[in-house]
Amino acid sequence: MQQGPVRVNEDEIARRTIRRSDFVSCDQAFIDCRTPGSERKENYAMIGPGVSQNSKQVINLREPHGYNIGAAAMPNGVVNNLHLHFTAEVFLCFRGEFLLRWGSDGNEGELVLREGDIASIPTWIFRGFTNIGPDDGWLFTSLGHDDTGGIIWGPTVLRDAAGYGLHLTEDGRLIDTVAGDEPPEDVELVRPMAEPDLARLRSFSAEKMRRRVVTQDDLEWCSQPFLDSVVTGGGAELALVVGFGMTEDLDQEPRIFNPHGHNIAWLRAEPGAGMLGHRVEQTQVLMVKDGRWEVTLNDHEPVTVELGEWDMLSVPPGAWRSIRNVGEGTGKLVVINSGDGRVRVDWDEEVVKAAADAGYSIDHNGYVAPYALVPRARG
């Protein structure tokens, strides 16, 4: 599967570890940062620049992953105004309650996102949201692909922002005339979308949008998703959200199928359990929701990092890794891998042998199957 193992040293694992304390907010990331009701938004860019329109936005890890990860933190009542994306936008609600609305005027439909919900918002529709929960509500976001193309703001958003001296150029620069910026002569300013274009946008009913929201009650947990599920030290459970991802269970299917440029799943484990040594070709980000997790990289000369709640780790493609719940209760994290296809797992030889002793193997399609029925390679 791999040409050779990728080794990760202490400095590299430290560079790829983004702790909650490392998050740096920007309160002027977008053109609506002065609009009443929206001026107290705090935006974050953990992996990749996302769609931030402020060149001073702090980005924790710039290395391309095939997707971007950021967040919005908003006090109660604060609004994120209507905008649309060209690539997938997925909301991961880690705390609080948010009222999601969509449509060119925001009146096409509404849904509430609560803690633990994940929502994939279709491309080419206007969307916005309001924090209707506690002041410390948090929405993480994953955006498809490295180049997202930026965003288009709703017509009223652009008009309101202009009243506060903020304009957007067609190449994505934020112009602040209050701060003394002069509109550039070589690039046009973005104009509100015309009515004929608005009329051509996609339409989604509340029922149709609900199928793109995966609540905790919607999750279908697989108790044996991996080859190591029958091996001591394995035992993690998997619930697919977007795409087939890493599952090796022939019958497990995701709630959301359409291409996103990345896949998303929940992984949970009891204390001492997790995933034994394995590697994948894709970029992978582990985002801790609950508990404490230990991640060990490399098959020889291992390096280990412990992750707490809301910490995240970017694991290099091809690196050996194992994941273990070292907390006192059930731990839960989000696993994000690049690409639209299945993620084929390459297991450590000791895991393969232990699984074989327990009567299991991986078939030629990449799924767990009875060891006795899977043809062996001929020498």
Side-chain angles (χ1 to χ4, degrees):
M1 177 177 175
Q2 300 281 346
Q3 295 300 314
V6 173
R7 300 199 178 279
V8 184
N9 59 32
E10 295 280 359
D11 290 340
E12 182 66 0
I13 199 172
R15 185 179 75 88
R16 290 177 168 270
T17 301
I18 305 172
R19 303 200 179 278
R20 185 174 178 178
S21 57
D22 297 330
F23 300 169
V24 181
S25 68
C26 178
D27 60 3
Q28 297 184 31
F30 298 109
I31 196 170
D32 63 343
C33 62
R34 290 195 187 123
T35 303
S38 301
E39 72 278 14
R40 292 188 296 157
K41 286 189 305 179
E42 293 185 343
N43 294 94
Y44 298 80
M46 290 80 172
I47 296 178
V51 291
S52 176
Q53 295 166 333
N54 191 325
S55 61
K56 296 180 181 179
Q57 171 89 58
V58 173
I59 303 168
N60 294 100
L61 186 60
R62 289 182 175 271
E63 181 172 328
H65 281 60
Y67 48 89
N68 294 253
I69 296 177
M74 300 160 55
N76 175 270
V78 172
V79 174
N80 189 307
N81 286 291
L82 293 170
H83 62 282
L84 66 75
H85 288 262
F86 311 112
T87 66
E89 180 179 42
V90 180
F91 295 135
L92 303 96
C93 185
F94 269 38
R95 177 180 290 164
E97 293 187 6
F98 293 84
L99 179 66
L100 171 68
R101 63 194 183 282
W102 63 91
S104 58
D105 56 5
N107 293 325
E108 190 168 312
E110 292 183 346
L111 286 173
V112 175
L113 302 182
R114 297 180 174 86
E115 182 170 339
D117 292 353
I118 296 179
S120 171
I121 312 303
T123 59
W124 284 100
I125 69 167
F126 281 107
R127 82 290 310 268
F129 51 90
T130 303
N131 180 356
I132 60 173
D135 282 345
D136 56 354
W138 269 77
L139 274 182
F140 285 91
T141 60
S142 67
L143 300 173
H145 303 291
D146 294 315
D147 182 1
T148 66
I151 56 180
I152 296 177
W153 288 100
T156 59
V157 179
L158 291 173
R159 295 186 188 107
D160 289 345
Y164 294 94
L166 293 173
H167 306 270
L168 188 65
T169 65
E170 289 188 345
D171 60 355
R173 285 178 285 166
L174 193 61
I175 303 300
D176 185 352
T177 57
V178 173
D181 293 346
E182 293 289 340
E185 297 181 359
D186 57 334
V187 180
E188 293 289 329
L189 296 179
V190 171
R191 299 179 185 278
M193 186 179 288
E195 286 295 332
D197 293 323
L198 291 171
R200 285 197 293 265
L201 294 178
R202 305 170 75 184
S203 179
F204 274 75
S205 66
E207 179 183 6
K208 189 176 179 181
M209 186 68 78
R210 175 61 181 85
R211 295 198 293 268
R212 301 183 67 85
V213 178
V214 183
T215 70
Q216 291 294 297
D217 290 338
D218 295 329
L219 295 176
E220 297 182 5
W221 289 97
C222 180
S223 61
Q224 294 189 329
F226 303 120
L227 181 65
D228 76 338
S229 297
V230 296
V231 179
T232 301
E237 296 181 296
L238 189 73
L240 302 179
V241 179
V242 176
F244 284 89
M246 299 168 64
T247 187
E248 295 177 325
D249 183 310
L250 185 61
D251 294 315
Q252 192 172 20
E253 295 182 344
R255 171 94 170 196
I256 303 170
F257 289 87
N258 70 292
H260 281 56
H262 58 299
N263 56 76
I264 300 175
W266 287 103
L267 186 142
R268 72 182 180 189
E270 297 303 314
M275 291 185 69
L276 297 171
H278 65 283
R279 57 181 177 171
V280 298
E281 293 180 340
Q282 293 77 7
T283 62
Q284 183 179 86
V285 173
L286 307 174
M287 299 174 56
V288 176
K289 173 63 171 64
D290 300 311
R292 293 186 299 114
W293 293 79
E294 180 183 83
V295 182
T296 300
L297 303 183
N298 302 334
D299 53 345
H300 300 291
E301 300 180 358
V303 293
T304 299
V305 61
E306 186 172 306
L307 305 175
E309 292 186 353
W310 296 21
D311 292 347
M312 61 183 72
L313 173 67
S314 166
V315 184
W320 289 103
R321 82 285 312 260
S322 62
I323 307 166
R324 184 167 66 98
N325 177 4
V326 294
E328 298 180 354
T330 303
K332 187 185 297 181
L333 53 77
V334 172
V335 182
I336 302 178
N337 298 291
S338 62
D340 289 315
R342 285 175 54 205
V343 176
R344 298 290 289 265
V345 182
D346 184 15
W347 292 99
D348 180 85
E349 288 185 5
E350 294 302 317
V351 175
V352 175
K353 292 176 181 177
D357 290 341
Y360 292 94
S361 181
I362 295 293
D363 69 14
H364 296 70
N365 202 26
Y367 291 106
V368 175
Y371 179 85
L373 300 180
V374 177
R376 308 271 79 79
R378 296 180 180 179

